[in-house]
Structures are given as structure tokens and as C-alpha cells.
Amino acid sequence: MAEAEAAQLKEEGNRHFQLQDYKAATKSYSQALKLTKDKALLATLYRNRAACGLKMESYAQAASDASRAIDINSADIKALYRRCQALEHLGKLDQAFKDVQRCATLEPRNQNFQETLRRLNTSIQEQLRVQFSTDSRVQTMFEILLNENSEADKREKAANNLIVLGCEEAGAERIFQSNGVALLLQLMNTQRPELLLAAVRTLSGMCSGHRARATSILHAVRIDRICSLMALENEEMSLAVCNLLQAIIDSLSGEDKREHRGKEEALVLDTKKDLKQITSHLLDMLVSKKVSGQGRDQALNLLNKNVPRKDLSIHDNSRTIYVVDNGLRKILKVVGQVPDLPSCLPLTDNTRMLASILINKLYDDLRCDPERDHFRKICEEYITSKFDPQDMDKNVNAIQTVSGILQGPFDLGNQLLGMKGVMEMMVALCGSEREADQLVAVEALIHASTKLSRATFIITNGVTLLKQIYKTTKNEKIKIRTLVGLCKLGSAGGSDYGLRQFAEGSTEKLAKQCRKWLCNTAIDTRTRRWAVEGLAYLTLDADVKDDFVQDIPALQAMFELAKTSDKTILYSVANTLVNCTNSYDVKEVVPELVQLAKFSKQHVPEEHPKDKKDFVDLRVKRLLKAGVISALACMVKADSAILTDQTKELLARVFLALCDNPKDRGTIVAQGGGKALIPLALEGTDVGKVKAAHGLAKIAAVSNPDIAFPGERVYEVVRPLVSLLDTQRDGLQNYEALLGLTNLSGRSDKLRQKIFKEKALPDIENYMFENHDQLRQAATECMCNMVLNKEVQERFLADGNDRLKLVVLLCGEDDHKLQNAAAGALAMLTAAHKKLCLKMTEVTTQWLEILQRLCLHDQLSVQHRGLVIAHNLLSSDAELARKLVESELLEILTVVGKQEPDEKRAAVVQTARECLIKCMDYGFIKPVS
């Protein structure tokens, strides 16, 4: 009964629909839906109610009813089209398009469907164009950001999108053209940290690589405002503003290395005035009390990065001269700050070290003695002006300044120590009752005793005083620094076992105390780092370093300190590790000179028994077990200003010592040592780069490059390895670089291409002429892989060179490893080009004899390669094949081909038989029945 009533209601609804009474029709269909369970009827009722919804403009309801009909019958074409119409009115064009696309698939000839499909496609494209047009995106983002009622997550998303857009050239230009700089200034005026940060980061992207835009933004925002933002007590903000200023400086100075065309070049004529203004404001920041410690650090970072020349071959050092004349006194003021005095500027743990590094870089950037004399005079005048018998704070500042300079340019620092009253003032301050004075004096004495002559003066005048302070002071900061002073004086003799400043066992006691301080986590990080400073000196003693590497908690405490934000510790940690691994330079002892020195009663350096190789190897094992690689990898990532070239060199020395044993290289790779070595091989001192490159060569020689240097990093390894192929490098460096390049060139043609582009081929060829057997073998093995590259093959094909002749002659050498490599290269060359097969017969009269020797070789790998060469020659030319058949080679091939092909000889026998088959194909020989 219910089903019949439902059918009746459906018919009633249809009549209402025809009379355009859609409300009544909807009511009839709804009543019918409650009475039936028949799926076909349900689908019809939903579909019909959807049609009513469309007529009454109830599009959401229409879409819902059509969807229910489609759920029952997915091929219901009327329901699909009605849902398409409803979705189109709701603005969901992409969903509507999918429905009409399905309709057109079911009825391809329906013109109505095809027309709707075209219309929707056009509408979608227009919507996307408007939605994704840069103008629209910029407008929308600024509306959200400047509307105080916007939701937090929307505002955050808009800010991030704006930053991304600013980093794209098209987006940056559109923001700029759309009055974006003024809107960004409005964002900055809101004083809301997240909006301020987004504005700064967007401006940074807009300035990158565009000189005109950078100039305009600099003038619009103003350098004083930029610097005031960098001065805030907010690390994230300070860093973001530093990046903005760096982007501006790079664009103005042309460091961005991008091409500029047309208007871009014409818009900005001279940027020197703006660059000078930026430098001037950065120098002013150094001495302003309103600047936070973070801000001061970022100002120093920018000066460190942009003022001294990056390449000393560039003649112009005017930026450095300007800073020396207008800012050296300001930098000296930062260096001379004493944190415990009330007049101290806001500082971080790294500030004074960054200032010392800047002084060092400026001093190194000077070109002549008059410039250096001028620099020294400014320092002397500044220090002298601080000496005041009536004001002890000024005296302390003066000694602190000397102490800071001693951490920068050592030569200048030592000259300043010679000034009247400086050393005496240091010793006098040690006896002061004020703890701040003692603290500064002890630190100054530590830095002053870098040279043995200075240390001797202090041993005579200050050791008793230091011991007295150590015993009487209750201040841990002074106590540990005093201990470090005693450590440094105790190690003034360096690694010379015969030059001991203190009594037997004293250095071990000092080191034990340092290790105790180091492991005490209750002490602040800044104070604990002085324990590492002490160990950096004491580990010159072999007994101390041997005890230290056995103290795993102390080692791991040092590694954890190296990973903290206080990066002033890096040099001390690196020095300690250099001492523990004995990776410092040791002068070669010539026995005759030793005898001469003894005869003339001169001191002869002595080696400690625990500095012999067995002990060093054991120490390396313990360091690796304690996790030294992860600490080194973390240190390499430090800020470029703190990680000086000298520190990089020390780290490179340590890595090289750790890589010495091939068995340890897997551990080093697993802990990220391969990746960490790459930047050390590309930047730093010449010695450091060579050491790091040698370490890379050792790893590349035995490791899977895909694991040791994952991704694109493997291509960065090529240049350091090629740099070792130099006559100025020693034989071991040449040899291991060749092994590394052999391994890399065997991985892919892209790597072979990279090696070729680095112009390594002539160097590899040179080592193939080398008298040293191992070098010649390594170079030939490398060439064996390189000949797979088409450009290398073209070099062999070119007329007027002896490359192929060299390879053929190397096949005739007595060393089977060398023969194997040369035969491999020749086999691949002759397989690649028929011309080289013919050329082989012309380069030397011995070619046939050499080929026959290869085919008779007792080493199966060499014999196989010889037979492959024979097969290549036979396949290349009928006349050449005839010549070979008429020689003794046919007999050799016959003998080898008749052998039983056991597991070891299968490839050899098979290749010989293929040669004989080739001869039969030519008709030169006939098979024996």
C-alpha cells in the first residue's frame, strides 16, 4: 500500500512541477520519499526534488538531493547534470566541471553538455587567473594583515605567503609596483612583533639581487630605523634585520652576481655613498648603550663579512681604511668592555670575540707598513688614554683592550705588551682587592703568555701571585681563570719534553683540576669553557692528553660545550683535539743537526714516549668512540665570523688525523664526517684546505660516495680532490686523491663530466708518466674510468697527441696491476671507436707484441682485457683482422679457445672463441669438423 501511495505522490509532484508550483511539488516528493524503499523510485524522487530546488534557487538543497540520487545510481545522467548546475551556482566550478565531464562521457553527442563543459572551463581559467594573479594575492595578503579583526591563523598564513612572494622576482617586483613598500612600512608601524618580522623578511627578499629596488627600500625605510630594529633585545628580529642589511649590501656592492639589464643598470649610478652610510651606522651601533648584545653581535658580523677584502689580490682596501679611521676606537671600546663593571655595554658571550676577530681581519687587510703603523698608533693612543692613577676602572678597560687585541692580531698584541707599564699593570691588577680587576688581569696574563719569552717574564713575576690568588679567592670565575693561567705557563715549552716549566707531575695535577671543573654542570657555561682553554695548553704534554682521552665523561662534557650557543670555545676545543691527535706540524729531526746541536751545547727538542704512533692511534680510537665526529660536524656549522680560518685549519687537521686508519673511515662517514669536511676544503687557510681535501681523499678512496656524500654534495668533493693533483703536494696526497677520483669516476658519467670540467685530465695524464709505480698505477686506473666519457674519448681521437701511445705502452709494463688498468682503458677505447683500433696499430711498432703478451698473461683479468682488445680490433676492419690472423695471435686465440671453460676461465675462453668466430665470419679460417 505504501509503495503505491508513494508512486501516486510522485505523479502528483510531477503535475505540480508542470504547473510551475515548485513548492507543492517539493512537498509531494518529500512525502513520497518517507513511504518507499524502492531504490529506483528513491533515485527518481531525489532527482525530481533537485530539479525543484534549482527552480526555487535552493542550490545547496538541490546539490544534496542530486548527490543522493547519484549515490543510488552513479550513472544517473539527469542527477549528474542537475548537481553540476547547482554547484556552478554555488561557485564550486571545479566540482561542477567534473560532473558535466562525466555527463559528456556518457552522452558525447549531447550539445548541451558540450556547451556547459566549454563555459565552465573558461570560467575556471578566469577564476584561477584572478585568484593567482600576483596583484590579487598581494592585495589580499595586505588586507588580512592590516585588518585587526583577522583571525590569527589567517594572518600568520598571509605573512608567510608574503615572505615567499617577496623572494620570487616576479612577486617582489609586483609588491614593489603595487605600493608595497608603503604598506610594509604600515605593517612595521603596528609594532606587532610577528607583523614586523614578516615585513622585514619580505623586504629582505625584495632587496636580494636587485640594486635599484634595494636602493629605493633603503631610502624608504631609512638606515637609522633598520639599525634601531637590529638593536632590539630579540634574537629572531635582530637576525632577520641583519639578513635584510646583508641583502641590501650585496645588491649595492654587486655581490649578488646576477645579471642586470636595461633600466636596472641605468637606475643606480653610484652606491658608494649608501654603503659608507651603512658602515657608519653599524660602527655607531657598537658603542651605543641602547643596542642589545644581540644587535651588537649582528653589527660586528656585518662588518666582519663586508669590510675586509675577500680576496687580497684586489687592490682597493678603502672600506678597511675608512673603518680604521672612523671606527677603530669604537671597536676597541667593545673589546675593552668588562662585564662586571657598571659602565659595561650590553654584551653576549660572543661579542668581545667577534670584535677581536674584526680587529684581526682589519689588520690583515692592510697593504703596507705605514698603514699598519697608523693602526698600531691608534691602538697605543687609545690604551694610553685609558691609563689613569685616579680611576681604576679605566686601567681595567685598558688591560681588557690589550687582552682582546691579543686574541686578534698576535703581532700587534705583542707590540702593545711592550708598551711602558702594560705588563706591570697586569701583574699589579692581580694583587687588587677587587675581584673584577683580578678577573681581567688573569685573563690578560693568559693571553699575554702566548710566546715563550713573554711566558718566562710572567713565570718570573707572576706565578707566585697567580698561585696566591688561586688559593685565597672564593670566586669560582677567578679561580678557574687563574688555573688556566697556570696551565698556560706550565705548557710554555710546547710539546718539547725537555722544556718543562714546572716540576714533574704539576701539569697532570692542573689537568686533573681542569677536568673536574669541566664536568661540573653546576658551573655556568662561560666559566666552564675556561677549563677547556686550560686543557688546550696542557694537552701539549703527552701524559695529560693520554689521561684526558681516557676520561670519557670529561671528553663528552667538552663536546657538549662545543655544541652550545657560546661559540668562543671553538678554538680551544679544536686546539685540544689537535694536541690529542698530534696533528700539529712537527719539524723533521735531522740526526746530523742533532749531533751538531749537542756538540755546541744547544737545546735539542725531545719527543715524549707517549707521542709515538701507537699511543696516538689509541687516542684516536678513544676519541671516535666518545663521539668526536658529531661534535666536529656541529662546530663546522658555526657562524662564519666565529669560525675563523685558523679554527677551520685546526678542525681540518683533526679530521685528517681521524681519517688516517682506513678501518675508522666507515665510522666517520656514518656520523656525518664526510659532509662536514667539504666546507673546510673549500674555505679557510691554504694549509687547512689542503688538509681537509686530503681527509676527503682518504674517505672518497674507500667509501661508497652515495653514502659518504649523499645527494648533490658528491659534486662538491671533486674540486678539493683535483686541487691535490699538484706537484707541490706530497706523493701520498697525490696518490689518495687519484684513488678518490677513481672511485668517483666509476659512479656516473655526470661525475666524470664534473672531473673533466675541473680540468683534471692533464694532471691525471701527467701522473701516468710518473716514475713512482703506485702513482702511475692509480692515475691509469682513474683514466680507465674516465675514458667512458665522450669528451675524454674525443681527446684520444684528436690528431697530434700521444695519449693512446702512452696507454698502449703501459699495457706492456711488467706490473700486472698497471697492465690491468691500462688494458681496461684500451679495451673501452677500442670498443667505443673503430678509428682508435686503427690508430692503435700506428702509435708504436710494438703494439702487436704487447697485444700478444696481454692475451697470454697469467693474470686472468689482464688476459681477458687483452682478448677483448683483440676482438675489438678484429671487428673494426677486415684488413686489420687479416693482419692479426697472419700473426701468432691466431695460434694464441686457438690455444685459449680450446681450453675447458671452468668457472674462473669462462669469460676468457668465451672471448677467445668469439674472436675465432669473427675470423670465420671473414672467411680467414674454417671450422674443423
Side-chain angles (χ1 to χ4, degrees), residues 884-904:
L884 290 171
V885 169
E886 289 171 356
S887 70
E888 293 176 5
L889 185 66
L890 179 61
E891 189 179 342
I892 295 167
L893 292 173
T894 306
V895 171
V896 176
K898 285 182 178 179
Q899 292 175 349
E900 284 299 320
D902 58 25
E903 189 177 340
K904 290 182 180 179

Side-chain angles (χ1 to χ4, degrees), residues 430-432 435 438 464-475 478-479 482:
C430 284
S432 171
E435 290 184 339
Q438 292 180 10
T464 307
L465 201 54
L466 286 173
K467 285 181 178 177
Q468 186 65 29
I469 293 171
Y470 181 71
K471 288 176 184 176
T472 56
T473 187
K474 293 180 181 178
N475 186 319
I478 296 173
K479 201 175 187 73
T482 311

Side-chain angles (χ1 to χ4, degrees), residues 334-368:
V334 177
V335 167
Q337 292 300 298
V338 180
D340 296 327
L341 295 182
S343 61
C344 183
L345 297 168
L347 306 174
T348 70
D349 292 335
N350 298 326
T351 308
R352 289 187 63 247
M353 177 60 77
L354 286 167
S356 294
I357 291 167
L358 179 56
I359 290 173
N360 189 42
K361 285 189 172 183
L362 292 171
Y363 190 74
D364 286 346
D365 197 41
L366 300 174
R367 294 176 304 165
C368 56

Side-chain angles (χ1 to χ4, degrees), residues 449-465:
S449 51
T450 301
K451 290 199 172 181
L452 183 57
S453 58
R454 298 288 176 196
T456 309
F457 172 88
I458 297 164
I459 288 168
T460 308
N461 296 278
V463 167
T464 307
L465 201 54

Side-chain angles (χ1 to χ4, degrees), residues 572-592:
S572 303
V573 173
N575 245 323
T576 305
L577 292 172
V578 165
N579 293 340
C580 290
T581 55
N582 282 43
S583 47
Y584 42 73
D585 289 329
V586 179
K587 288 183 180 179
E588 188 179 350
V589 178
V590 181
E592 292 81 1

Side-chain angles (χ1 to χ4, degrees), residues 14-28:
N14 289 349
R15 285 195 297 273
H16 287 309
F17 189 87
Q18 286 170 1
L19 295 169
Q20 298 182 5
D21 188 354
Y22 304 121
K23 196 170 183 180
T26 301
K27 187 177 179 182
S28 297

Side-chain angles (χ1 to χ4, degrees), residues 423-566:
M423 294 295 286
E424 290 77 7
M425 178 60 78
M426 284 185 190
V427 176
L429 284 174
C430 284
S432 171
E433 293 180 3
R434 286 203 314 179
E435 290 184 339
D437 299 352
Q438 292 180 10
L439 202 65
V440 170
V442 171
E443 282 190 23
L445 283 171
I446 293 166
H447 297 308
S449 51
T450 301
K451 290 199 172 181
L452 183 57
S453 58
R454 298 288 176 196
T456 309
F457 172 88
I458 297 164
I459 288 168
T460 308
N461 296 278
V463 167
T464 307
L465 201 54
L466 286 173
K467 285 181 178 177
Q468 186 65 29
I469 293 171
Y470 181 71
K471 288 176 184 176
T472 56
T473 187
K474 293 180 181 178
N475 186 319
E476 287 182 339
K477 293 180 180 180
I478 296 173
K479 201 175 187 73
I480 196 165
R481 284 163 175 77
T482 311
L483 180 67
V484 172
L486 291 168
C487 291
K488 190 167 185 181
L489 296 169
S491 62
S495 58
D496 186 348
Y497 185 46
L499 265 183
R500 293 197 164 209
Q501 301 291 334
F502 292 165
E504 186 76 32
S506 295
T507 49
E508 286 94 318
K509 287 179 183 176
L510 288 170
K512 192 174 180 181
Q513 185 60 46
C514 277
R515 299 206 308 272
K516 188 177 174 184
W517 286 98
L518 181 59
C519 294
N520 188 350
T521 52
I523 302 169
D524 66 280
T525 304
R526 193 177 171 194
T527 305
R528 283 170 68 208
R529 76 176 174 83
W530 281 97
V532 183
E533 189 92 11
L535 288 166
Y537 303 123
L538 292 175
T539 46
L540 286 164
D541 185 303
D543 288 317
V544 172
K545 63 181 99 169
D546 220 52
D547 292 341
F548 181 46
V549 294
Q550 293 181 59
D551 188 345
I552 300 299
L555 270 181
Q556 290 178 338
M558 183 177 78
F559 296 157
E560 288 306 312
L561 276 179
K563 296 174 185 177
T564 60
S565 60
D566 181 1

